[in-house]
Amino acid sequence: MARIVMKFGGTSMAGIERIRNVANRVKAEWEAGNQVAVVVSAMSGETDRLVGFCKEASPLYDLREYDVVVSSGEQVTSGLLAIALQALGVPARSWLGWQLPIHTSSAHSSARIGTIDTDALNASLADGAVAVIPGFQGLADDNRVTTLGRGGSDTSAVAVAAAMKADRCDIYTDVDGVYTTDPRIVPRARKLTKVTYEEMLELASVGAKVLQTRSVGLAMKEGVRVRVLSSFEDKSDDDGHRGTLIVGEEEIDDVERQLITGIAHDKNEAKVTLTNVPDRPGAVAHIFGPLAEAGINVDMIVQNVAHATGSTDVTFTVPRAELARALDVLEKSKGPIGYDALIHDTKIAKISVVGVGMRSHAGVAATMFDTLGERRINILAITTSEIKVSVLIHEDETELAVRVLHTAYGLDAPEDEAA
């Protein structure tokens, strides 16, 4: 008997027929003798609808009440799935975030999970019942409902799996696993059998939308084995594996390991350049300090060599959705920073190659630069980590860059295996 957490996203829960399909998948695991907890998202599009109501009621809405409103979407689907399971003869009940409870910080709309009380949950599972838990929500110390931010149901599922010491956390989505890149751009992209936590964390952070970044980081911290698979089909690879396992590096054989695991792209960033910033100690702190205080995440940073005039240009990227706030912060800080002009560009894309094989192989970045150069794709900025190289390019060249890099690193599947 295994303990399994099954998480179903919004597309899987979009309507009663799809909820019945989910119920049948849960029933199959339960009939196999497993203890099963299910974490569900709101129906596809429902959270956007509820957010719209909040904005319509007041543009400056109270985040505490916002959490009350948007958390209701998952409450609906958890109750409906419990009803559907009961109709199939499966003992099931829903557990809302405050009933377990799932303790979180009090940062409404972006709370972080602290602890989960599992005594009642464990007792229910031991009695053979299926627990249905709404994702995305928890309870602050003041007993107010909180939400974890968009995509937070993935984090809920991993946190529940860690708390109940589950053998595996299965994330059901509208794709059948993690691919070497977006198969809509590269039809010969390959589904990966296993990916390390570190690689998945990098891929999620640079644009791969299979899993929320926080959920991968939590899985790595707690050692939760995560599997990504489809809600709608049961395809297996030649070895009989379904989906993609995200696991520790020790679970991946050297034979399975590749130099590059995947290529991701992200068009949701904006480039900001400050010209003629005084080249003096503390100047950069005057730029990024106010941005940090405003809660704006900065990604790629490039500082040019100082001019003979004693000034330099500083370029960095921010999430496109945060550009207006970032510009406002920088304009208000123009005096302390001392820049001449503030230039921004939203027609950019970030392309990243990721793989743990970079640690022991030289030339990965050179291959990337040579390949893009051969196609006359101009690089606007570069950033690296131990297992990642990212470049900034014009957004119109995104698909071409992804395709040529996928081929350059030998990631294309044979034509008869293409996705």
Side-chain angles (χ1 to χ4, degrees):
M1 179 179 68
R3 277 197 162 190
I4 297 174
V5 172
M6 306 173 73
K7 183 266 176 180
F8 293 90
T11 54
S12 304
M13 304 298 294
I16 296 300
E17 284 307 312
R18 290 193 175 182
I19 290 174
R20 288 196 180 108
N21 174 59
V22 167
N24 281 309
R25 289 186 177 277
V26 175
K27 181 183 180 183
E29 291 286 2
W30 176 77
E31 287 183 332
N34 296 318
Q35 292 185 346
V36 182
V38 187
V39 175
V40 295
S41 297
M43 292 186 187
S44 181
E46 179 65 8
T47 301
D48 287 336
R49 188 177 76 92
L50 295 171
V51 171
F53 285 152
C54 291
K55 292 178 178 177
E56 188 176 345
S58 172
L60 299 175
Y61 49 76
D62 184 333
L63 287 175
R64 294 167 298 184
E65 302 304 339
Y66 166 92
D67 278 355
V68 172
V69 174
V70 298
S71 63
S72 66
E74 282 75 13
Q75 178 172 328
V76 169
T77 50
S78 61
L80 289 174
L81 179 56
I83 291 171
L85 284 166
Q86 291 165 7
L88 295 174
V90 179
R93 66 152 289 184
S94 61
W95 295 83
L96 301 186
W98 61 269
Q99 291 174 317
L100 287 173
I102 298 172
H103 299 285
T104 74
S105 67
S106 57
H108 287 275
S109 82
S110 58
R112 291 188 172 271
I113 294 175
T115 59
I116 301 177
D117 294 345
T118 58
D119 290 346
L121 177 62
N122 288 334
S124 178
L125 293 173
D127 286 341
V130 170
V132 185
I133 303 166
F136 180 59
Q137 65 176 246
L139 186 72
D141 288 341
D142 61 358
N143 287 331
R144 298 290 304 247
V145 171
T146 58
T147 62
L148 310 182
R150 301 306 294 266
S153 292
D154 285 350
T155 302
S156 297
V158 172
V160 168
M164 59 184 271
K165 295 179 171 55
D167 295 279
R168 194 178 67 242
C169 178
D170 288 344
I171 307 287
Y172 286 82
T173 69
D174 53 1
V175 296
D176 62 338
V178 178
Y179 280 75
T180 49
T181 196
D182 188 339
R184 293 170 298 183
I185 295 177
V186 182
R188 292 173 67 183
R190 291 184 293 106
K191 183 171 73 69
L192 300 164
T193 301
K194 292 180 181 178
V195 179
T196 68
Y197 293 124
E198 287 181 280
E199 290 170 325
M200 195 66 239
L201 190 60
E202 290 282 19
L203 286 168
S205 70
V206 294
K209 298 180 174 58
V210 179
L211 289 174
Q212 188 204 42
T213 305
R214 281 170 58 189
S215 70
V216 183
L218 181 59
M220 180 167 65
K221 175 176 175 288
E222 299 293 337
V224 176
R225 300 174 84 248
V226 176
R227 183 171 63 160
V228 177
L229 64 171
S230 172
S231 294
F232 306 109
E233 53 187 47
D234 295 310
K235 286 196 306 184
S236 299
D237 58 26
D238 293 339
D239 295 324
H241 296 112
R242 290 177 58 214
T244 300
L245 272 171
I246 293 95
V247 292
E249 196 170 338
E250 68 281 356
E251 286 199 47
I252 299 182
D253 298 330
D254 288 338
V255 174
E256 298 174 298
R257 195 182 308 282
Q258 296 187 143
L259 174 61
I260 296 299
T261 297
I263 298 171
H265 69 281
D266 187 1
K267 293 184 178 181
N268 296 313
E269 298 211 2
K271 178 166 69 78
V272 178
T273 299
L274 303 179
T275 66
N276 292 325
V277 176
D279 184 32
R280 60 172 181 253
V284 174
H286 287 307
I287 298 173
F288 299 111
L291 292 171
E293 290 174 7
I296 298 170
N297 291 321
V298 175
D299 186 13
M300 307 175 78
I301 302 174
V302 177
Q303 182 173 357
N304 296 335
V305 176
H307 304 307
T309 56
S311 62
T312 183
D313 295 342
V314 179
T315 297
F316 55 92
T317 60
V318 297
R320 193 174 295 187
E322 299 284 355
L323 178 60
R325 286 206 306 133
L327 295 178
D328 180 61
V329 168
L330 293 169
E331 286 168 357
K332 290 177 179 176
S333 303
K334 183 173 183 179
I337 298 172
Y339 63 85
D340 279 355
L342 176 57
I343 304 166
H344 65 275
D345 182 6
T346 58
K347 295 185 179 299
I348 60 166
K350 180 169 65 178
I351 309 295
S352 304
V353 296
V354 175
V356 292
M358 291 186 195
R359 290 181 180 144
S360 54
H361 291 80
V364 173
T367 298
M368 186 180 200
F369 304 151
D370 288 344
T371 301
L372 296 178
E374 288 172 2
R375 292 306 185 105
R376 304 186 67 81
I377 297 174
N378 190 39
I379 296 174
L380 306 174
I382 303 167
T383 188
T384 65
S385 74
E386 189 180 25
I387 64 169
K388 177 195 71 180
V389 181
S390 296
V391 298
L392 213 59
I393 64 173
H394 193 281
E395 68 174 3
D396 291 345
E397 298 172 315
T398 302
E399 294 191 6
L400 173 61
V402 170
R403 286 196 296 268
V404 298
L405 289 171
H406 198 267
T407 299
Y409 288 110
L411 297 176
D412 291 348
E415 291 188 16
D416 59 343
E417 297 179 17

